[in-house]
Amino acid sequence: MAETKKIAIIPGDGIGPEVIAEAVKVLKKTEELFGYKFETETGLFGGIAIDETGTPLPQDTLEKCQRADAVLLGAVGGPKWDNNPKELRPETGLLGIRKALGLFSNIRPAVIFDCLKEASTLKPEVLEGTDLIVVRELTGGIYFGEKFRRETDNGQEAVDTCVYNVKEVERIVHQAFQIARNRRKKLCSVDKANVLETSRLWRETVNKIAPEYPDVELEHVLVDNCAMQLLRRPSSFDVIVTENMFGDILSDEAAMLTGSIGMLSSASLGEGSFGLYEPVHGSAPDIAGQGIANPIATILSVALMFKLSFGYHEAGDAIEKAVKSVLDAGHRTGDIAVDKSKAIGTTAMGDLIVAAIHK
Ligand code: IPM
Ligand code: MG
């Protein structure tokens, strides 16, 4: 009998609850099939938490996450809260949970699913073989530096500070090298060292660490150039490591290469095996409550959780295989269907995947 793993489940806003429900079915199926034992606690977070408790990240939810072995998050945010003051915005909760749980590393894989190649806006021959991971620093940089406004002779002035210390750079870079070592052994470090001091420290630190990973080929690419190369030669990238803001932008770009953001999972990790897992897509308020959202990214987030936090590789592989077989059989939700009239709904897709998970 496997030890009990505690999972905090945070459905959040928009399509979050719908896609999470399908991921929970997958958890149940793997319990039956592989003898795992999961104990789940559900918490309020994001817009729904603002509505019900007056804060995007209630203490109770944070505590549920802190006593869990991993967190499964749906999505947060929506137009309803877009004009709220900063403390009452879902995004503030997201930044708060990352910081409070020490999740300094955000891992966003962008993989091309062969059967969905036609969904990308890039030519198939450019995409061929694309399989990359963006490793984004998640708790530092301009997101968390001092911010303020002041009056000047030219009117109000706003300041956002970008700060990085060596330790923050070292821990994320080590992690990226280790990920690269277990893949195609290529690491691309992205910065703006021709302009920014934080980037010069970043690059120096990467170069200092590199000799510890002689088996990994390292390149430094400036962020503007990287944005371009991602469109020109996506398949040449293996692991990209970068600071918070650059990673935010480049990971969206990388996700879009695949043409199917509804398929991509992500992990936010700290020290040790704890992690927060979530689909890359947002809360999609425009289609919320219609039962048509694609649950695959969330289901694949469970597979990622199994592998990275629990070491349940066999079940992780089984989930990925099940997704592939359902897609290969031609089943599609609306976002990835060529013939929209044949699209199936969220629950139908979840049920098909659950049925296709085998030991
Ligand atoms: C993301 C999102 C968030 C970020 C926003 C919602 C604060 O864009 O997870 O990439 O910028 O980190
Ligand atoms: Mg983003």
Side-chain angles (χ1 to χ4, degrees), residues 93-121:
L94 202 54
L95 299 187
I97 206 171
R98 289 172 182 169
K99 199 68 170 180
L101 299 175
L103 303 170
F104 63 84
S105 162
N106 184 220
I107 297 182
R108 297 186 175 182
V111 205
I112 309 288
F113 289 80
D114 271 343
C115 58
L116 295 177
K117 262 196 205 132
E118 74 277 14
S120 175
T121 51

Side-chain angles (χ1 to χ4, degrees), residues 128 177 187 198 353:
E128 190 63 45
F177 266 116
L187 181 65
T198 41
I353 294 170

Side-chain angles (χ1 to χ4, degrees), residues 53-288:
T53 72
T55 166
L57 174 54
Q59 187 60 26
D60 169 70
T61 301
L62 189 57
E63 282 167 16
K64 283 174 177 156
C65 294
Q66 279 162 337
R67 59 176 175 255
D69 297 301
V71 180
L72 184 63
L73 175 68
V76 291
K80 182 172 175 198
W81 306 281
D82 273 352
N83 298 318
N84 280 9
K86 191 174 146 225
E87 324 72 65
L88 291 181
R89 289 180 65 106
E91 294 84 350
T92 305
L94 202 54
L95 299 187
I97 206 171
R98 289 172 182 169
K99 199 68 170 180
L101 299 175
L103 303 170
F104 63 84
S105 162
N106 184 220
I107 297 182
R108 297 186 175 182
V111 205
I112 309 288
F113 289 80
D114 271 343
C115 58
L116 295 177
K117 262 196 205 132
E118 74 277 14
S120 175
T121 51
L122 288 200
K123 296 191 189 101
E125 63 269 28
V126 176
L127 283 176
E128 190 63 45
T130 296
D131 174 3
L132 63 90
I133 293 186
V134 178
V135 179
R136 166 188 176 194
E137 201 293 323
L138 202 59
T139 51
I142 201 163
Y143 272 63
F144 290 93
E146 203 191 339
K147 301 170 188 300
F148 57 91
R149 292 196 190 195
R150 62 187 164 208
E151 298 305 325
T152 74
D153 292 345
N154 296 319
Q156 217 177 50
E157 190 169 76
V159 180
D160 290 290
T161 355
C162 185
V163 187
Y164 269 108
N165 61 46
V166 168
K167 186 170 169 268
E168 286 170 321
V169 182
E170 279 174 351
R171 62 186 183 184
I172 186 86
V173 169
H174 273 296
Q175 202 183 63
F177 266 116
Q178 275 152 22
I179 294 171
R181 174 170 267 179
N182 290 314
R183 289 174 45 100
R184 300 198 310 279
K185 301 188 184 355
K186 279 165 58 176
L187 181 65
C188 170
S189 173
V190 174
D191 61 38
K192 189 73 183 172
N194 52 349
V195 179
L196 301 178
E197 206 50 45
T198 41
S199 281
R200 286 192 270 270
L201 181 71
W202 180 282
R203 196 177 282 217
E204 268 167 45
T205 308
V206 173
N207 283 335
K208 212 173 55 202
I209 291 172
E212 294 177 44
Y213 302 89
D215 50 324
V216 178
E217 183 193 323
L218 169 69
E219 68 170 336
H220 295 282
V221 178
L222 295 171
V223 62
D224 48 347
N225 187 26
C226 183
M228 193 167 80
Q229 301 303 340
L230 270 173
L231 299 182
R232 201 172 70 90
R233 51 167 181 102
S235 64
S236 74
F237 290 99
D238 180 13
V239 179
I240 294 175
V241 65
T242 190
E243 63 97 59
N244 204 343
M245 173 87 129
F246 298 160
D248 177 45
I249 300 166
L250 293 180
S251 63
D252 264 25
E253 186 187 359
M256 206 52 221
L257 291 176
T258 71
S260 42
I261 201 162
M263 309 284 298
L264 301 175
S265 56
S266 76
S268 300
L269 307 172
E271 309 284 359
S273 62
F274 179 84
L276 179 149
Y277 299 83
E278 61 182 316
V280 166
H281 62 70
S283 57
D286 52 320
I287 58 160

